[in-house]
Amino acid sequence: MCKKFKEVTGRENKGNVGMLKGLLKDAVDRNAPNEVLSVPVDLLEIDPSYQIEARTDRNLNYLVSNWDDNQCQPLQGVPHWEEGKIYLFDGYGRWIASQMIVNPKDDLRVMVALNAPQDPTERRIYEAKMYAFQNKFVAKMTAPQTHGARLIMHDKATEILEQLKGKYGFEFVQSSGKRGASVLGSYTEALDLCKKGENVADYVFDICKRAGFDRKANGYSTYVMRALRDVYKLYPYTRTENAEVLVKYLRGIDPLFLKANAVTKYPLLDFKIATSLFMEDILVEKAKRKHVRKTEGKHVFMIQPEPVQAK
């Protein structure tokens, strides 16, 4: 049952097996691969495991205020015969908006994919792929919106991120702006980190957790995560010792102060690069490491890798 549909209409979309079979009987008899027809709104549904159910008021209000029957493209979905419902992979916003306009719709035009797999698991993967890669010219899908779909498709980086999410308890949101405690500063940054491997991603989140940054606003910000990622990469032989030094240091500072100190020391550089260099400076000062980078104006250069004997 779709919570948003019930919230807007006051009723549950229970589905109807007999009605769905009757609607699609002619198309099934003709072996049609798909069929566009009017479907009662109560027979529609979404799968929240791969499709984010929430829609911002701004998004829905835009659809409602600009509603035009002549320009409303057919929704797209897959029949779930056992439930008497059609699960949408494109058009969820239009479905909900159709119930918020002055004269709510009883039926909506839907392109039903009759050639979708019948096996529930394969059917779900099919729907997830169709959802994740739906027409980009209709609505640009954000990375967080496709998280569930990529999990179903067994995307390795997404699975690592989901595993770490369960381990460290962080969350991610679609909107931009200042982040509260335990919220990723950038989903795409975290996903890119996971693409580099589970070890480096776990290293970053472990330091943030033990330093208490998981409980601080902007603790999982891009500049923090990128700086810790660089430390992992630049000092491969002293990662364990470096982590302990950084945890101790970061416990006594707020993420925004960390950023401010970095920008003050490196005023000509982008704040993310400045924070990375400042993190290196912490290790040079507190752990007696050697610098592996240097700056000249707005440019940063590698000067030497970490010596092997530092192991």
Side-chain angles (χ1 to χ4, degrees):
M1 182 197 73
C2 178
K3 295 179 181 179
K4 190 65 176 180
F5 182 83
K6 184 177 182 180
E7 176 186 322
V8 171
T9 66
R11 63 181 189 275
E12 296 182 2
N13 54 323
K14 295 183 178 181
N16 187 307
V17 173
M19 184 180 293
L20 181 63
K21 289 183 177 179
L23 283 172
L24 295 171
K25 183 179 185 305
D26 180 62
V28 171
D29 290 344
R30 288 186 284 106
N31 291 318
N34 53 65
E35 187 80 359
V36 178
L37 70 165
S38 292
V39 178
V41 294
D42 288 41
L43 299 190
L44 302 178
E45 183 62 275
I46 65 166
D47 185 342
S49 69
Y50 64 78
Q51 183 166 179
I52 294 178
E53 187 171 350
R55 284 293 190 277
T56 64
D57 291 337
R58 180 179 179 182
N59 179 278
L60 288 173
N61 288 336
Y62 177 83
L63 290 173
V64 171
S65 61
N66 290 278
W67 188 272
D68 186 336
D69 288 337
N70 296 319
Q71 295 185 13
C72 184
Q73 297 294 314
L75 287 60
Q76 299 183 67
V78 174
H80 286 219
W81 303 105
E82 71 280 7
E83 295 182 52
K85 293 182 178 181
I86 294 174
Y87 276 64
L88 300 175
F89 57 76
D90 178 25
Y92 167 63
R94 281 167 281 163
W95 173 38
I96 299 302
S98 75
Q99 303 305 293
M100 298 171 64
I101 58 178
V102 176
N103 296 307
K105 300 296 180 181
D106 295 323
D107 306 89
L108 288 171
R109 300 284 288 174
V110 181
M111 177 180 286
V112 184
L114 296 170
N115 57 353
Q118 296 297 310
D119 176 76
T121 299
E122 293 181 2
R123 181 179 63 192
R124 193 167 176 231
I125 294 174
Y126 172 88
E127 293 169 2
K129 287 182 178 180
M130 296 299 289
Y131 170 75
F133 305 114
Q134 62 182 280
N135 191 342
K136 64 182 179 180
F137 297 108
V138 174
K140 184 177 181 180
M141 301 295 291
T142 64
Q145 286 177 316
T146 62
H147 180 82
R150 283 182 282 103
L151 278 178
I152 291 175
M153 292 184 284
H154 299 294
D155 176 75
K156 184 61 176 177
T158 307
E159 289 181 329
I160 292 173
L161 183 58
E162 182 69 13
Q163 178 184 339
L164 295 177
K165 178 174 177 284
K167 181 178 180 179
Y168 294 106
F170 56 80
E171 299 291 339
F172 51 80
V173 296
Q174 297 183 56
S175 59
S176 59
K178 183 179 179 181
R179 299 302 196 218
S182 299
V183 177
L184 294 181
S186 168
Y187 176 90
T188 53
E189 183 73 23
L191 185 64
D192 183 66
L193 180 66
C194 292
K195 289 179 181 178
K196 299 182 186 305
E198 184 175 353
N199 289 340
V200 58
D202 188 76
Y203 186 84
V204 170
F205 283 111
D206 177 68
I207 291 176
C208 287
K209 181 77 172 181
R210 291 195 291 132
F213 268 35
D214 62 318
R215 301 187 300 275
K216 297 179 180 180
N218 292 307
Y220 287 127
S221 58
T222 299
Y223 57 88
V224 171
M225 295 177 66
R226 194 169 294 184
L228 292 173
R229 177 205 68 187
D230 290 346
V231 164
Y232 179 93
K233 176 182 176 181
L234 296 171
Y235 293 95
Y237 304 110
T238 52
R239 287 169 181 162
T240 301
E241 299 90 336
N242 292 344
E244 298 306 316
V245 171
L246 292 174
V247 166
K248 183 177 181 180
Y249 178 85
L250 295 175
R251 279 176 183 166
I253 194 170
D254 183 87
L256 289 177
F257 283 118
L258 174 68
K259 175 183 174 182
N261 289 340
V263 172
T264 299
K265 186 167 185 178
Y266 299 101
L268 298 180
L269 300 177
D270 172 82
F271 70 92
K272 293 185 287 293
I273 298 175
T275 306
S276 178
L277 288 167
F278 189 75
M279 200 81 78
E280 181 180 335
D281 292 340
I282 294 171
L283 292 177
V284 170
E285 177 185 351
K286 305 291 184 181
K288 308 306 178 185
R289 305 288 175 243
K290 293 183 179 295
H291 274 115
V292 295
R293 295 175 293 182
K294 69 175 183 178
T295 62
E296 292 182 7
K298 296 182 179 181
H299 302 285
V300 180
F301 301 93
M302 288 290 298
I303 54 177
Q304 63 177 5
E306 181 184 23
V308 176
Q309 61 266 27
K311 187 174 181 181

